[in-house]
Coordinates of all heavy atoms in Angstrom, one line a residue:
V1 N 1.4 2.6 -4.3 CA 0.8 1.6 -3.4 C -0.3 2.4 -2.6 O -1.4 1.9 -2.5 CB 1.8 1.0 -2.4 CG1 1.1 0.2 -1.3 CG2 2.7 0.0 -3.2
F2 N 0.0 3.6 -2.1 CA -1.0 4.4 -1.4 C -2.2 4.7 -2.3 O -3.4 4.5 -1.9 CB -0.4 5.7 -0.9 CG -1.3 6.5 0.0 CD1 -1.4 6.2 1.3 CD2 -2.1 7.5 -0.6 CE1 -2.3 7.0 2.1 CE2 -2.9 8.2 0.2 CZ -3.0 8.0 1.6
E3 N -2.0 5.1 -3.5 CA -3.0 5.4 -4.5 C -3.9 4.2 -4.8 O -5.1 4.3 -4.9 CB -2.5 6.1 -5.7 CG -1.9 7.5 -5.5 CD -1.2 8.1 -6.7 OE1 -0.8 7.3 -7.6 OE2 -1.1 9.3 -6.7
L4 N -3.2 3.1 -5.0 CA -3.9 1.8 -5.3 C -4.9 1.5 -4.2 O -6.0 1.0 -4.4 CB -3.0 0.7 -5.6 CG -2.2 0.7 -6.9 CD1 -1.1 -0.3 -6.9 CD2 -3.2 0.5 -8.1
R5 N -4.4 1.6 -3.0 CA -5.2 1.2 -1.8 C -6.3 2.2 -1.6 O -7.5 1.8 -1.4 CB -4.3 1.2 -0.6 CG -5.0 0.8 0.7 CD -5.4 -0.7 0.6 NE -6.0 -1.0 1.9 CZ -6.8 -2.0 2.1 NH1 -6.9 -2.9 1.1 NH2 -7.3 -2.3 3.3
I6 N -6.1 3.5 -1.6 CA -7.1 4.5 -1.3 C -8.0 4.8 -2.5 O -9.2 4.7 -2.3 CB -6.4 5.8 -0.8 CG1 -5.6 5.6 0.5 CG2 -7.4 6.9 -0.6 CD1 -6.4 5.0 1.7
F7 N -7.4 5.2 -3.6 CA -8.2 5.6 -4.7 C -8.7 4.4 -5.6 O -9.8 4.4 -6.1 CB -7.5 6.6 -5.6 CG -7.0 7.8 -4.8 CD1 -5.7 8.1 -4.8 CD2 -7.9 8.6 -4.2 CE1 -5.3 9.2 -4.1 CE2 -7.5 9.7 -3.5 CZ -6.2 10.0 -3.4
G8 N -7.8 3.4 -5.7 CA -8.2 2.2 -6.5 C -9.0 1.2 -5.7 O -9.5 0.3 -6.3
E9 N -9.0 1.3 -4.4 CA -9.7 0.4 -3.5 C -9.3 -1.0 -3.7 O -10.2 -1.9 -3.6 CB -11.2 0.6 -3.7 CG -11.7 2.0 -3.3 CD -13.2 2.2 -3.5 OE1 -13.9 1.3 -4.0 OE2 -13.7 3.3 -3.3
L10 N -8.0 -1.2 -4.0 CA -7.6 -2.6 -4.1 C -7.1 -3.2 -2.8 O -6.7 -2.5 -1.9 CB -6.4 -2.6 -5.1 CG -6.6 -2.2 -6.5 CD1 -5.4 -2.3 -7.4 CD2 -7.8 -3.0 -7.2
S11 N -7.2 -4.5 -2.7 CA -6.8 -5.2 -1.5 C -5.3 -5.2 -1.5 O -4.6 -5.1 -2.5 CB -7.4 -6.6 -1.4 OG -6.8 -7.4 -2.4
F12 N -4.7 -5.5 -0.3 CA -3.2 -5.7 -0.2 C -2.8 -6.8 -1.1 O -1.7 -6.8 -1.7 CB -2.8 -5.9 1.2 CG -3.0 -4.6 2.0 CD1 -3.8 -4.7 3.2 CD2 -2.3 -3.5 1.7 CE1 -4.0 -3.5 3.9 CE2 -2.5 -2.3 2.5 CZ -3.3 -2.3 3.6
R13 N -3.6 -7.9 -1.2 CA -3.2 -9.0 -2.0 C -3.1 -8.6 -3.5 O -2.2 -9.0 -4.2 CB -4.3 -10.1 -1.8 CG -4.0 -11.4 -2.6 CD -5.2 -12.4 -2.4 NE -5.3 -13.3 -3.4 CZ -5.8 -13.1 -4.6 NH1 -6.1 -11.8 -5.0 NH2 -5.9 -14.0 -5.6
E14 N -4.1 -7.8 -4.0 CA -4.1 -7.4 -5.3 C -3.0 -6.4 -5.6 O -2.3 -6.5 -6.7 CB -5.5 -6.6 -5.6 CG -6.7 -7.6 -5.6 CD -8.0 -6.9 -5.6 OE1 -8.1 -5.7 -5.0 OE2 -9.0 -7.4 -6.2
I15 N -2.7 -5.6 -4.7 CA -1.5 -4.7 -4.8 C -0.2 -5.5 -4.9 O 0.6 -5.2 -5.8 CB -1.5 -3.6 -3.7 CG1 -2.7 -2.7 -3.8 CG2 -0.2 -2.8 -3.7 CD1 -2.9 -1.8 -2.5
G16 N -0.1 -6.4 -4.1 CA 1.1 -7.3 -4.1 C 1.2 -8.0 -5.5 O 2.3 -8.1 -6.0
L17 N 0.1 -8.4 -6.0 CA 0.2 -9.1 -7.3 C 0.6 -8.1 -8.4 O 1.3 -8.5 -9.3 CB -1.2 -9.7 -7.6 CG -1.6 -11.0 -6.8 CD1 -3.0 -11.3 -7.1 CD2 -0.7 -12.1 -7.2
I18 N 0.1 -6.9 -8.4 CA 0.5 -5.9 -9.4 C 2.0 -5.7 -9.4 O 2.6 -5.6 -10.4 CB -0.3 -4.6 -9.2 CG1 -1.7 -4.8 -9.6 CG2 0.4 -3.5 -10.0 CD1 -2.6 -3.6 -9.2
F19 N 2.6 -5.7 -8.2 CA 4.0 -5.4 -8.1 C 4.9 -6.7 -8.1 O 6.1 -6.7 -7.9 CB 4.3 -4.7 -6.8 CG 4.0 -3.2 -6.9 CD1 2.8 -2.7 -6.5 CD2 5.0 -2.3 -7.3 CE1 2.5 -1.4 -6.6 CE2 4.7 -1.0 -7.3 CZ 3.4 -0.5 -7.0
S20 N 4.2 -7.9 -8.2 CA 4.9 -9.2 -8.2 C 5.6 -9.3 -6.8 O 6.7 -9.8 -6.7 CB 5.9 -9.4 -9.3 OG 5.2 -9.3 -10.5
K21 N 4.9 -8.9 -5.8 CA 5.4 -9.0 -4.4 C 4.3 -9.7 -3.6 O 3.3 -10.1 -4.0 CB 5.6 -7.6 -3.8 CG 6.6 -6.8 -4.6 CD 8.0 -7.1 -4.3 CE 8.9 -6.1 -5.0 NZ 10.3 -6.3 -4.8
T22 N 4.6 -9.8 -2.3 CA 3.7 -10.5 -1.4 C 2.6 -9.5 -0.8 O 2.8 -8.3 -0.9 CB 4.4 -11.1 -0.2 OG1 5.0 -10.0 0.6 CG2 5.5 -12.1 -0.6
E23 N 1.6 -10.1 -0.3 CA 0.5 -9.3 0.3 C 1.1 -8.5 1.5 O 0.8 -7.4 1.7 CB -0.6 -10.2 0.8 CG -1.7 -9.5 1.5 CD -2.8 -10.4 2.0 OE1 -3.0 -11.5 1.4 OE2 -3.6 -10.0 2.9
N24 N 2.0 -9.2 2.3 CA 2.6 -8.5 3.4 C 3.5 -7.3 3.0 O 3.5 -6.3 3.6 CB 3.5 -9.5 4.2 CG 3.9 -9.0 5.6 OD1 3.0 -8.4 6.3 ND2 5.1 -9.1 5.9
W25 N 4.2 -7.5 1.9 CA 5.0 -6.4 1.3 C 4.1 -5.2 1.0 O 4.4 -4.0 1.4 CB 5.7 -6.8 0.1 CG 6.4 -5.6 -0.6 CD1 7.7 -5.2 -0.4 CD2 5.9 -4.8 -1.6 NE1 8.0 -4.1 -1.2 CE2 6.9 -3.8 -1.9 CE3 4.7 -4.6 -2.3 CZ2 6.8 -2.8 -2.9 CZ3 4.5 -3.6 -3.2 CH2 5.5 -2.7 -3.5
A26 N 2.9 -5.4 0.4 CA 2.0 -4.3 0.1 C 1.5 -3.7 1.3 O 1.4 -2.5 1.4 CB 0.8 -4.9 -0.8
R27 N 1.2 -4.5 2.3 CA 0.6 -3.9 3.6 C 1.7 -3.0 4.3 O 1.4 -1.9 4.7 CB 0.3 -5.1 4.5 CG -0.5 -4.7 5.8 CD -0.9 -6.0 6.6 NE -1.6 -7.0 5.8 CZ -2.9 -7.0 5.6 NH1 -3.6 -6.0 6.1 NH2 -3.5 -7.9 4.9
V28 N 2.9 -3.5 4.4 CA 4.0 -2.7 5.0 C 4.3 -1.5 4.2 O 4.4 -0.4 4.8 CB 5.3 -3.6 5.2 CG1 6.5 -2.8 5.6 CG2 5.0 -4.7 6.2
T29 N 4.3 -1.6 2.9 CA 4.6 -0.4 2.1 C 3.5 0.6 2.2 O 3.8 1.8 2.3 CB 4.8 -0.9 0.6 OG1 5.8 -1.9 0.5 CG2 5.2 0.3 -0.3
Y30 N 2.3 0.2 2.2 CA 1.2 1.1 2.4 C 1.3 1.9 3.7 O 1.1 3.1 3.8 CB -0.2 0.4 2.3 CG -1.3 1.2 2.8 CD1 -1.9 2.2 2.0 CD2 -1.9 1.0 4.1 CE1 -2.9 3.0 2.4 CE2 -3.0 1.8 4.5 CZ -3.4 2.8 3.7 OH -4.5 3.6 4.1
H31 N 1.5 1.1 4.8 CA 1.6 1.8 6.1 C 2.8 2.7 6.2 O 2.7 3.8 6.8 CB 1.6 0.7 7.2 CG 0.3 0.1 7.4 ND1 -0.8 0.7 7.9 CD2 -0.1 -1.2 7.1 CE1 -1.8 -0.1 7.9 NE2 -1.5 -1.2 7.4
R32 N 3.9 2.4 5.6 CA 5.0 3.3 5.5 C 4.7 4.5 4.7 O 5.1 5.7 5.1 CB 6.3 2.6 4.9 CG 6.9 1.6 5.8 CD 8.1 0.9 5.2 NE 8.7 0.0 6.1 CZ 9.5 -1.0 5.8 NH1 9.9 -1.1 4.5 NH2 10.0 -1.8 6.6
A33 N 4.0 4.3 3.6 CA 3.6 5.5 2.8 C 2.7 6.4 3.6 O 2.8 7.6 3.5 CB 2.8 5.0 1.6
R34 N 1.7 5.8 4.4 CA 0.8 6.6 5.2 C 1.6 7.4 6.2 O 1.3 8.6 6.4 CB -0.1 5.7 5.9 CG -1.6 6.2 5.9 CD -2.5 5.2 6.5 NE -2.3 5.3 7.9 CZ -2.7 4.4 8.8 NH1 -3.3 3.3 8.4 NH2 -2.4 4.5 10.1
L35 N 2.6 6.8 6.8 CA 3.4 7.5 7.8 C 4.2 8.7 7.2 O 4.3 9.8 7.7 CB 4.4 6.6 8.5 CG 3.7 5.6 9.5 CD1 4.8 4.6 10.0 CD2 3.1 6.3 10.7
K36 N 4.8 8.4 6.0 CA 5.6 9.4 5.3 C 4.7 10.6 4.9 O 5.1 11.7 5.0 CB 6.2 8.8 4.1 CG 7.4 7.9 4.4 CD 7.9 7.3 3.1 CE 9.1 6.4 3.3 NZ 10.3 7.1 3.5
L37 N 3.5 10.3 4.4 CA 2.5 11.3 4.0 C 2.1 12.1 5.2 O 2.1 13.4 5.1 CB 1.3 10.6 3.4 CG 0.3 11.5 2.6 CD1 1.1 12.3 1.5 CD2 -0.8 10.7 2.0
Q38 N 1.9 11.5 6.3 CA 1.5 12.2 7.6 C 2.6 13.1 8.0 O 2.4 14.3 8.4 CB 1.1 11.2 8.7 CG 0.6 11.9 9.9 CD -0.7 12.6 9.6 OE1 -1.6 12.1 9.0 NE2 -0.8 13.9 10.0
E39 N 3.8 12.6 8.0 CA 5.0 13.5 8.4 C 5.1 14.7 7.5 O 5.3 15.8 8.0 CB 6.3 12.6 8.2 CG 6.5 11.6 9.3 CD 7.7 10.7 9.0 OE1 8.4 11.0 8.1 OE2 7.8 9.7 9.8
R40 N 4.9 14.5 6.2 CA 5.0 15.7 5.3 C 3.8 16.7 5.5 O 4.0 17.8 5.4 CB 5.0 15.2 3.8 CG 6.3 14.5 3.6 CD 6.5 14.1 2.2 NE 7.8 13.4 2.1 CZ 8.2 12.7 1.1 NH1 7.4 12.5 0.0 NH2 9.3 12.1 1.1

């Protein structure tokens, strides 16, 4: 999700569609990924 958003420049809606999830799921997953990456 992080790679799709940053490198693939996809919208949260598009990311949600790729995973067969909602736009909100993609948004939350991206922000969690960003936090995990920052912690590491």
